[in-house]
Amino acid sequence: MIRRALIGPGATGAERRAAYADALGSGQVHWLRANACLTADAVVDLEDSAALPVNLRDRLLDSDALIVSGVPIPAGRDARTLTAWPDLLGGPVAAMAADLESLGRRTMTKAIVVMESPGIGPPAWRAVLALTALGGSLKRIAARRQPRGAGFEAIYGVGRFRDDSIAYVEAVAGAPPGAELRFYEALGRGGIREYDSRLDINRVTSRGVATPLPATDVHPYARFVADLCRTDQPGPPAELRAVLADAHDAYRALLHACDLKTAVTL
């Protein structure tokens, strides 16, 4: 049973802390400190484990606490480590995925995530998660990383899904203020499904016509935290495990492809 939450540093710290306070009560939520008590009743929520000192990250991985990270942790995926997946529970990805059959044969799927905070991991994971949730598992991916100054970097990738449709992914970190963006698009023989965060967080644009998504008053991360604390289950729901496994594979392949001249075959 999760009784306490420890929130790691990062640009989204206040948002993540508020989500746990709603689920557990503000008195049970604290910032992560080096001397934190890491027992089995605690969840440690990290924006990106790479931002932690190595000795603290190793201590977390050796503890009994449940670790939730906004980026896959290189050290492995055991039962006490969980990458965050709010996009698959609510918001535009879930709504679009439920409607993709109406597209007919899919020709291309793209995911673009631009974040103002530094660190390429969070936007890359969010973009890959959306890409695989909408398009399925990848067959191959080619990618390049482009540093653009202090904290400002980007990854651009092009590949093929298992059904031979085209995959495009773009992740940007450290963008200028006001540049945050989430853009998801799935194209098929029967139409287009598109989400653009600059228009409306609950709207899909199809063939130039704006169509509302199912309304929700709950932020996807708040819903993710509420489900996590309510179910007391260390892993994702069974229906999401295949998608998350594809996303983990694609995320590792995307980062690996940045160092190669040729595409990575998954």
Side-chain angles (χ1 to χ4, degrees):
M1 176 67 72
I2 297 173
R3 302 185 186 279
R4 300 180 296 118
L6 305 172
I7 311 301
T12 63
E15 175 186 304
R16 291 181 287 118
R17 181 166 184 160
Y20 285 94
D22 285 343
L24 300 173
S26 59
Q28 303 303 314
V29 183
H30 306 280
W31 297 111
L32 176 65
R33 308 295 183 191
N35 61 348
C37 179
L38 302 174
T39 53
D41 66 345
V43 57
V44 179
D45 190 290
L46 308 174
E47 184 168 307
D48 185 351
S49 65
L52 295 178
V54 174
N55 59 339
L56 177 55
R57 189 179 68 184
D58 290 345
R59 183 171 169 244
L60 289 176
L61 291 171
D62 290 337
S63 75
D64 293 325
L66 172 62
I67 302 171
V68 174
S69 178
V71 180
I73 298 176
R77 289 153 48 193
D78 59 38
R80 301 298 295 175
T81 304
L82 192 67
T83 45
W85 26 266
D87 302 71
L88 298 185
L89 290 178
V93 173
M96 288 178 68
D99 191 44
L100 289 182
E101 287 187 6
S102 62
L103 292 177
R105 180 174 172 79
R106 200 161 37 85
T107 57
M108 181 177 182
T109 303
K110 62 176 68 173
I112 300 171
V113 176
V114 178
M115 296 179 68
E116 297 172 12
S117 55
I120 197 65
W125 168 247
R126 294 289 291 266
V128 165
L129 180 59
L131 191 73
T132 52
L134 296 174
S137 59
L138 292 175
K139 179 187 296 184
R140 60 182 179 272
I141 186 77
R144 291 294 177 266
R145 187 190 298 253
Q146 293 186 2
R148 297 188 173 185
F152 187 14
E153 58 181 324
I155 290 178
Y156 303 94
V158 178
R160 291 276 185 182
F161 292 104
R162 294 287 179 185
D163 64 0
D164 283 327
S165 62
I166 298 171
Y168 177 81
V169 61
E170 183 176 328
V172 179
E180 293 233 0
L181 169 69
R182 284 177 294 149
F183 179 83
Y184 311 126
E185 186 177 51
L187 298 88
R189 300 284 173 83
I192 298 173
R193 294 294 178 268
E194 181 181 84
Y195 168 77
D196 187 334
S197 64
R198 295 167 298 186
L199 298 176
D200 190 317
I201 200 166
N202 284 321
R203 180 181 295 173
V204 165
T205 302
S206 176
R207 294 180 175 179
V209 178
T211 304
L213 294 175
T216 174
D217 295 326
V218 180
H219 190 280
Y221 204 83
R223 178 176 170 183
F224 163 73
V225 169
D227 289 346
L228 181 72
C229 294
R230 181 168 53 245
T231 62
D232 194 32
Q233 179 180 325
E239 64 270 19
L240 296 182
R241 288 173 187 164
V243 175
L244 285 162
D246 288 341
H248 276 277
D249 291 341
Y251 176 78
R252 288 195 298 268
L254 179 73
L255 298 185
H256 183 46
C258 291
D259 301 323
L260 301 177
K261 294 182 180 180
T262 58
V264 171
T265 300
L266 277 70

PDB file of all heavy atoms in Angstrom, residues 253-265:
ATOM      1  N   ALA A 253      15.994   2.163 -28.914  1.00  0.00           N
ATOM      2  CA  ALA A 253      16.454   2.170 -30.300  1.00  0.00           C
ATOM      3  C   ALA A 253      16.653   3.594 -30.807  1.00  0.00           C
ATOM      4  O   ALA A 253      17.612   3.876 -31.543  1.00  0.00           O
ATOM      5  CB  ALA A 253      15.457   1.427 -31.184  1.00  0.00           C
ATOM      6  N   LEU A 254      15.763   4.500 -30.428  1.00  0.00           N
ATOM      7  CA  LEU A 254      15.882   5.897 -30.860  1.00  0.00           C
ATOM      8  C   LEU A 254      17.183   6.507 -30.362  1.00  0.00           C
ATOM      9  O   LEU A 254      17.921   7.137 -31.133  1.00  0.00           O
ATOM     10  CB  LEU A 254      14.683   6.701 -30.342  1.00  0.00           C
ATOM     11  CG  LEU A 254      14.681   8.188 -30.690  1.00  0.00           C
ATOM     12  CD1 LEU A 254      14.358   8.387 -32.169  1.00  0.00           C
ATOM     13  CD2 LEU A 254      13.673   8.949 -29.824  1.00  0.00           C
ATOM     14  N   LEU A 255      17.495   6.320 -29.079  1.00  0.00           N
ATOM     15  CA  LEU A 255      18.730   6.883 -28.521  1.00  0.00           C
ATOM     16  C   LEU A 255      19.954   6.228 -29.144  1.00  0.00           C
ATOM     17  O   LEU A 255      20.957   6.892 -29.432  1.00  0.00           O
ATOM     18  CB  LEU A 255      18.744   6.718 -27.003  1.00  0.00           C
ATOM     19  CG  LEU A 255      17.633   7.437 -26.237  1.00  0.00           C
ATOM     20  CD1 LEU A 255      17.859   7.289 -24.738  1.00  0.00           C
ATOM     21  CD2 LEU A 255      17.548   8.916 -26.620  1.00  0.00           C
ATOM     22  N   HIS A 256      19.886   4.914 -29.378  1.00  0.00           N
ATOM     23  CA  HIS A 256      21.000   4.193 -29.980  1.00  0.00           C
ATOM     24  C   HIS A 256      21.238   4.657 -31.414  1.00  0.00           C
ATOM     25  O   HIS A 256      22.379   4.802 -31.866  1.00  0.00           O
ATOM     26  CB  HIS A 256      20.725   2.691 -29.943  1.00  0.00           C
ATOM     27  CG  HIS A 256      21.839   1.842 -30.472  1.00  0.00           C
ATOM     28  ND1 HIS A 256      23.171   2.039 -30.125  1.00  0.00           N
ATOM     29  CD2 HIS A 256      21.842   0.797 -31.331  1.00  0.00           C
ATOM     30  CE1 HIS A 256      23.933   1.148 -30.736  1.00  0.00           C
ATOM     31  NE2 HIS A 256      23.145   0.391 -31.485  1.00  0.00           N
ATOM     32  N   ALA A 257      20.154   4.911 -32.148  1.00  0.00           N
ATOM     33  CA  ALA A 257      20.269   5.309 -33.545  1.00  0.00           C
ATOM     34  C   ALA A 257      20.949   6.662 -33.708  1.00  0.00           C
ATOM     35  O   ALA A 257      21.535   6.938 -34.759  1.00  0.00           O
ATOM     36  CB  ALA A 257      18.881   5.353 -34.188  1.00  0.00           C
ATOM     37  N   CYS A 258      20.879   7.496 -32.677  1.00  0.00           N
ATOM     38  CA  CYS A 258      21.519   8.813 -32.754  1.00  0.00           C
ATOM     39  C   CYS A 258      23.029   8.706 -32.931  1.00  0.00           C
ATOM     40  O   CYS A 258      23.675   9.641 -33.426  1.00  0.00           O
ATOM     41  CB  CYS A 258      21.208   9.627 -31.502  1.00  0.00           C
ATOM     42  SG  CYS A 258      19.491  10.146 -31.363  1.00  0.00           S
ATOM     43  N   ASP A 259      23.614   7.582 -32.519  1.00  0.00           N
ATOM     44  CA  ASP A 259      25.066   7.406 -32.586  1.00  0.00           C
ATOM     45  C   ASP A 259      25.513   6.636 -33.819  1.00  0.00           C
ATOM     46  O   ASP A 259      26.710   6.377 -33.980  1.00  0.00           O
ATOM     47  CB  ASP A 259      25.556   6.671 -31.331  1.00  0.00           C
ATOM     48  CG  ASP A 259      25.208   7.425 -30.050  1.00  0.00           C
ATOM     49  OD1 ASP A 259      25.274   8.670 -30.081  1.00  0.00           O
ATOM     50  OD2 ASP A 259      24.870   6.775 -29.045  1.00  0.00           O
ATOM     51  N   LEU A 260      24.565   6.248 -34.685  1.00  0.00           N
ATOM     52  CA  LEU A 260      24.901   5.420 -35.833  1.00  0.00           C
ATOM     53  C   LEU A 260      24.594   6.146 -37.141  1.00  0.00           C
ATOM     54  O   LEU A 260      23.750   7.030 -37.190  1.00  0.00           O
ATOM     55  CB  LEU A 260      24.113   4.109 -35.795  1.00  0.00           C
ATOM     56  CG  LEU A 260      24.323   3.222 -34.562  1.00  0.00           C
ATOM     57  CD1 LEU A 260      23.403   2.006 -34.660  1.00  0.00           C
ATOM     58  CD2 LEU A 260      25.765   2.775 -34.438  1.00  0.00           C
ATOM     59  N   LYS A 261      25.281   5.741 -38.210  1.00  0.00           N
ATOM     60  CA  LYS A 261      25.025   6.308 -39.525  1.00  0.00           C
ATOM     61  C   LYS A 261      23.877   5.603 -40.244  1.00  0.00           C
ATOM     62  O   LYS A 261      23.307   6.130 -41.191  1.00  0.00           O
ATOM     63  CB  LYS A 261      26.289   6.241 -40.384  1.00  0.00           C
ATOM     64  CG  LYS A 261      27.429   7.124 -39.880  1.00  0.00           C
ATOM     65  CD  LYS A 261      28.632   7.039 -40.801  1.00  0.00           C
ATOM     66  CE  LYS A 261      29.771   7.934 -40.302  1.00  0.00           C
ATOM     67  NZ  LYS A 261      30.955   7.885 -41.180  1.00  0.00           N
ATOM     68  N   THR A 262      23.558   4.403 -39.785  1.00  0.00           N
ATOM     69  CA  THR A 262      22.486   3.630 -40.400  1.00  0.00           C
ATOM     70  C   THR A 262      21.329   3.457 -39.424  1.00  0.00           C
ATOM     71  O   THR A 262      21.482   3.712 -38.230  1.00  0.00           O
ATOM     72  CB  THR A 262      22.990   2.258 -40.840  1.00  0.00           C
ATOM     73  OG1 THR A 262      23.524   1.569 -39.693  1.00  0.00           O
ATOM     74  CG2 THR A 262      24.083   2.387 -41.899  1.00  0.00           C
ATOM     75  N   ALA A 263      20.195   3.013 -39.938  1.00  0.00           N
ATOM     76  CA  ALA A 263      19.019   2.813 -39.101  1.00  0.00           C
ATOM     77  C   ALA A 263      19.206   1.635 -38.167  1.00  0.00           C
ATOM     78  O   ALA A 263      19.921   0.683 -38.471  1.00  0.00           O
ATOM     79  CB  ALA A 263      17.788   2.595 -39.979  1.00  0.00           C
ATOM     80  N   VAL A 264      18.554   1.695 -37.021  1.00  0.00           N
ATOM     81  CA  VAL A 264      18.540   0.582 -36.077  1.00  0.00           C
ATOM     82  C   VAL A 264      17.356  -0.315 -36.397  1.00  0.00           C
ATOM     83  O   VAL A 264      16.233   0.154 -36.575  1.00  0.00           O
ATOM     84  CB  VAL A 264      18.427   1.097 -34.625  1.00  0.00           C
ATOM     85  CG1 VAL A 264      18.197  -0.051 -33.666  1.00  0.00           C
ATOM     86  CG2 VAL A 264      19.687   1.859 -34.230  1.00  0.00           C
ATOM     87  N   THR A 265      17.604  -1.619 -36.493  1.00  0.00           N
ATOM     88  CA  THR A 265      16.537  -2.594 -36.685  1.00  0.00           C
ATOM     89  C   THR A 265      16.116  -3.142 -35.345  1.00  0.00           C
ATOM     90  O   THR A 265      16.957  -3.621 -34.587  1.00  0.00           O
ATOM     91  CB  THR A 265      17.000  -3.746 -37.595  1.00  0.00           C
ATOM     92  OG1 THR A 265      17.379  -3.194 -38.861  1.00  0.00           O
ATOM     93  CG2 THR A 265      15.876  -4.742 -37.808  1.00  0.00           C
TER      94      THR A 265
END
